[in-house]
Amino acid sequence: MTRRGSSSVDDGLAEPRDGDTADTALVVVAGTTATGEIEGISAAGGDPAAAVHTPVADTEILTRGRVRSAATLPVGPNGCPTPAVLSRAVVETLGLETLVVDAGLAASPATQTRRVADRSGADIREAVAVPDAAGTYDRARAVGRSLSADRVVIGETVPGGTTTAMAVLRALGRPTAVSSSLPDNPTALKNTVVADALAASGIAPGDLAGRPLAAVRAVGDPVLPAVAGVVRGATATDTTVVLGGGTQMAAVAALLRGLGVETPLRAATTAYVAADETADLARLGTALSLAWTVTDPALAELGDHPVAAGYAAGAGKEGVGAGGALAVADEAGALAAVRSRVERVYERLSESSSS
Amino acid sequence: MTRRGSSSVDDGLAEPRDGDTADTALVVVAGTTATGEIEGISAAGGDPAAAVHTPVADTEILTRGRVRSAATLPVGPNGCPTPAVLSRAVVETLGLETLVVDAGLAASPATQTRRVADRSGADIREAVAVPDAAGTYDRARAVGRSLSADRVVIGETVPGGTTTAMAVLRALGRPTAVSSSLPDNPTALKNTVVADALAASGIAPGDLAGRPLAAVRAVGDPVLPAVAGVVRGATATDTTVVLGGGTQMAAVAALLRGLGVETPLRAATTAYVAADETADLARLGTALSLAWTVTDPALAELGDHPVAAGYAAGAGKEGVGAGGALAVADEAGALAAVRSRVERVYERLSESSSS
């Protein structure tokens, strides 16, 4: 029902425990790019079905705490579950509101969404990757203007997204250090794909420095202009925005700088991304006047648990706004409660996936 | 935000006035079929942009009372506005909850939706019109099961929908009397299109009598299995369902009968459809054990008003659940209040369209 939202049906949300965070909302922009189906490019790569279903499952985990569509629990290398588990644990612990923005999901999620893109992104090695980048940005801006929370944490889920982010950063002439959902970042492969992408669009690095939406159209994915649009719309109505994520959020910051946004920008990510030398957050932060908050969920305290083991081994790292959500939890002094909740969310997901 | 739903942002909903209707929800299934782009087939036909944008605008009018996307107010012959105006007037008068189900919209609406189809329907004169009819039905069934209202009125908006309904009824061997959004029902054109559609799929009338989802796959649109799925899921959890609409809801009833549903079914439509001899509601009702409620909103009492004039001339007639919504308003003794609200909704829409 519109007035209550889909999560009223079956969400298991806890009542908010902390008044300070009650007016923070978590917005997650979900989408698909055919770039994510390239063998070896992401934790979901090499398996076209996973590249389609991972962002769908992520939206279901975020809003309902369960996987409801045909997809099962997305699991990366080492059995590391999707960071949606972390975000959902924060949502349940603090009672955060959520909104899912559908920026070109290739399959239907079992949750309410606000659509801003009419199709998925093409492989960036085609001439045009996101034909309607400008329309997506405009629709997302309207979503951002309509948000009623005082503060919004915005995250993303799009397999292949660090590669498209790298391509956009390169087209804009920005530093292209990016992280990975894999323990060993396939940097060489990404560089090859990005070089092919720029060549297919007939552009050299930095050629589109002043034209961020043209860069997205040529070599991006539909999630990037959607996140940028929501941020632009939200800040225009004095909503505080936290970019929840790693290097993809740096690409969003680059888009916003190119669009003339000069206000300070803040991003919040996990300690796993910060520990990833290939991400080089400091360099991206300096280049883009982007301040980073880094939160360590200290999952090791869960002991011999699949979530702890997976993240400790460098898989997953970030996504679905996890870093931003954890920053909010840390601010509320609720990280220990979030860790306990991670166990419950994971247990519930493991049950529903095997049934 | 998920927990409050999109309409919390800017919906202008009145508080519910009548406790009896507070737990009735209006679910509208919106979609696109390329069949709706055939010249002369519907009020939106002959204009591909209108066939795409009319259902999008309808969902925005229903949930927000305004057209927010690029589309302007859908207006048919004689300047008759979309029946979404009537449904929205009921929603505002009684404070009904709404849910929009996206069954293959070709463009993104500026409102939250629950998606159940991953693509629009093809022209039924192609071999396969709805490749994923079964998946759409299954996803919609899950939506129906999750509804929390005691009673659900379900409506549709899909330009070309009476033609696809006719094709499905014919494939199932049911009476094919259907209404039209045009003052003069283009029955000859519809018959030609339907005959071509069955031929393209290699089927004769009645061939798919026991296989309703195969009939939708061959010659239907994605909205039909979505409505049937929501109804099936809702009735399975003891939610009372009213099919809000005319001949397309008869096609839904035919699908449900073919799927083994034997419980009584109730449909509610407007006096405009009932007055349309080509619709032949009585014959459809008898064939499908479908009881009709017919409500006359008496728009003539608005005097010299574009809405009154358009509907009096036989345009519009039904859609977006209008007949079902009006039945709920009538039951609550609120038809006069709804008429006043129609003027306000129309005025607001006319302003926003011209700005």
Side-chain angles (χ1 to χ4, degrees):
Chain A
M1 305 296 94
T2 300
R3 296 179 77 200
R4 281 185 298 207
S6 63
S7 70
S8 66
V9 171
D10 173 16
D11 61 5
L13 276 184
E15 288 299 302
R17 290 193 188 174
D18 186 313
D20 293 332
T21 60
D23 206 32
T24 297
L26 178 54
V27 177
V28 168
V29 183
T32 314
T33 163
T35 314
E37 298 177 18
I38 298 171
E39 178 79 36
I41 211 83
S42 99
D47 176 355
V52 168
H53 285 295
T54 294
V56 169
D58 279 346
T59 67
E60 296 169 351
I61 293 167
L62 179 76
T63 59
R64 306 184 65 180
R66 294 180 186 271
V67 177
R68 289 294 184 186
S69 65
T72 51
L73 173 64
V75 171
N78 316 315
C80 180
T82 165
V85 170
L86 307 182
S87 301
R88 174 66 187 182
V90 175
V91 165
E92 292 188 9
T93 303
L94 300 179
L96 298 187
E97 292 183 19
T98 58
L99 172 69
V100 174
V101 175
D102 176 351
L105 284 170
S108 302
T111 191
Q112 279 199 72
T113 64
R114 179 73 184 265
R115 254 174 81 183
V116 297
D118 298 340
R119 64 178 79 174
S120 302
D123 188 319
I124 56 174
R125 295 170 302 181
E126 296 185 23
V128 176
V130 186
D132 193 29
T136 295
Y137 174 74
D138 286 342
R139 284 187 286 271
R141 210 151 55 128
V143 174
R145 279 194 301 266
S146 73
L147 297 173
S148 54
D150 292 334
R151 180 172 63 169
V152 167
V153 174
I154 186 160
E156 54 65 41
T157 169
V158 50
T162 57
T163 304
T164 49
M166 178 190 260
V168 167
L169 286 165
R170 190 158 294 165
L172 296 174
R174 297 290 193 172
T176 56
V178 298
S179 183
S180 173
S181 57
L182 293 165
D184 296 308
N185 196 345
T187 309
L189 172 62
K190 287 183 182 176
N191 270 308
T192 303
V193 169
V194 168
D196 290 350
L198 267 67
S201 300
I203 52 176
D207 267 5
L208 300 176
R211 300 171 56 202
L213 293 176
V216 170
R217 186 172 192 276
V219 298
D221 66 58
V223 168
L224 290 169
V227 176
V230 172
V231 174
R232 185 72 182 266
T235 53
T237 49
D238 292 328
T239 302
T240 301
V241 177
V242 177
L243 300 170
T247 43
Q248 283 160 269
M249 290 301 161
V252 168
L255 293 176
L256 290 165
R257 294 305 180 211
L259 288 160
V261 173
E262 294 179 353
T263 52
L265 292 171
R266 175 160 292 281
T269 191
T270 63
Y272 310 110
V273 172
D276 181 353
E277 290 176 10
T278 57
D280 204 350
L281 296 188
R283 187 159 156 244
L284 285 163
T286 303
L288 297 162
S289 301
L290 178 64
W292 292 98
T293 299
V294 176
T295 306
D296 181 356
L299 294 174
E301 297 196 17
L302 294 178
D304 184 24
H305 190 278
V307 178
Y311 282 84
K317 288 194 187 73
E318 170 63 282
V320 202
L326 289 168
V328 173
D330 192 19
E331 181 187 292
L335 279 184
V338 166
R339 280 192 295 273
S340 309
R341 187 65 77 150
V342 163
E343 291 185 293
R344 287 167 61 180
V345 170
Y346 181 77
E347 188 178 358
R348 199 191 303 144
L349 286 164
S350 302
E351 283 165 9
S352 63
S353 291
S354 60
S355 65
Chain B
M1 305 296 96
T2 300
R3 295 181 75 199
R4 280 184 300 206
S6 63
S7 69
S8 65
V9 170
D10 173 16
D11 62 5
L13 277 184
E15 288 299 303
R17 289 194 190 177
D18 185 311
D20 293 332
T21 59
D23 206 33
T24 297
L26 178 53
V27 176
V28 168
V29 183
T32 314
T33 164
T35 313
E37 298 177 17
I38 298 171
E39 178 79 38
I41 211 80
S42 102
D47 176 355
V52 167
H53 285 296
T54 294
V56 168
D58 279 346
T59 68
E60 295 168 351
I61 293 168
L62 179 76
T63 58
R64 307 184 64 181
R66 293 179 186 272
V67 177
R68 289 294 183 185
S69 65
T72 51
L73 173 64
V75 171
N78 316 314
C80 179
T82 166
V85 170
L86 307 182
S87 301
R88 174 66 188 181
V90 175
V91 165
E92 292 188 10
T93 303
L94 301 178
L96 298 187
E97 292 183 19
T98 57
L99 172 69
V100 174
V101 175
D102 176 349
L105 285 169
S108 301
T111 190
Q112 279 199 71
T113 63
R114 179 75 183 265
R115 254 175 81 184
V116 297
D118 299 338
R119 64 178 78 175
S120 302
D123 188 319
I124 57 174
R125 296 169 301 179
E126 295 186 23
V128 175
V130 187
D132 193 29
T136 295
Y137 174 75
D138 286 342
R139 284 187 285 272
R141 212 151 52 128
V143 174
R145 280 195 300 266
S146 74
L147 296 173
S148 54
D150 292 333
R151 182 171 62 169
V152 167
V153 174
I154 186 160
E156 55 64 42
T157 169
V158 48
T162 58
T163 304
T164 49
M166 178 190 260
V168 166
L169 286 165
R170 189 157 296 165
L172 296 174
R174 297 289 193 172
T176 55
V178 298
S179 183
S180 172
S181 57
L182 293 164
D184 295 309
N185 195 346
T187 309
L189 172 61
K190 287 182 181 177
N191 269 307
T192 302
V193 169
V194 168
D196 290 350
L198 269 67
S201 301
I203 54 176
D207 268 3
L208 300 176
R211 300 173 55 202
L213 294 175
V216 170
R217 187 173 191 277
V219 298
D221 66 58
V223 169
L224 290 169
V227 176
V230 172
V231 174
R232 186 72 182 266
T235 52
T237 49
D238 292 329
T239 302
T240 301
V241 177
V242 177
L243 300 170
T247 43
Q248 283 160 269
M249 290 301 160
V252 168
L255 293 176
L256 290 165
R257 295 306 181 209
L259 289 161
V261 173
E262 294 180 353
T263 51
L265 291 171
R266 175 160 291 281
T269 190
T270 63
Y272 309 110
V273 171
D276 181 352
E277 290 176 11
T278 57
D280 205 349
L281 296 189
R283 187 158 156 245
L284 285 164
T286 303
L288 298 163
S289 301
L290 178 65
W292 292 97
T293 300
V294 175
T295 306
D296 182 356
L299 295 174
E301 296 195 17
L302 294 178
D304 184 24
H305 190 278
V307 178
Y311 283 84
K317 290 194 185 73
E318 170 64 281
V320 203
L326 290 168
V328 172
D330 192 18
E331 182 188 293
L335 280 182
V338 167
R339 279 191 296 273
S340 308
R341 186 66 75 151
V342 163
E343 291 184 293
R344 288 168 60 181
V345 170
Y346 180 77
E347 188 178 358
R348 198 191 305 145
L349 285 165
S350 303
E351 282 166 9
S352 62
S353 292
S354 60
S355 67

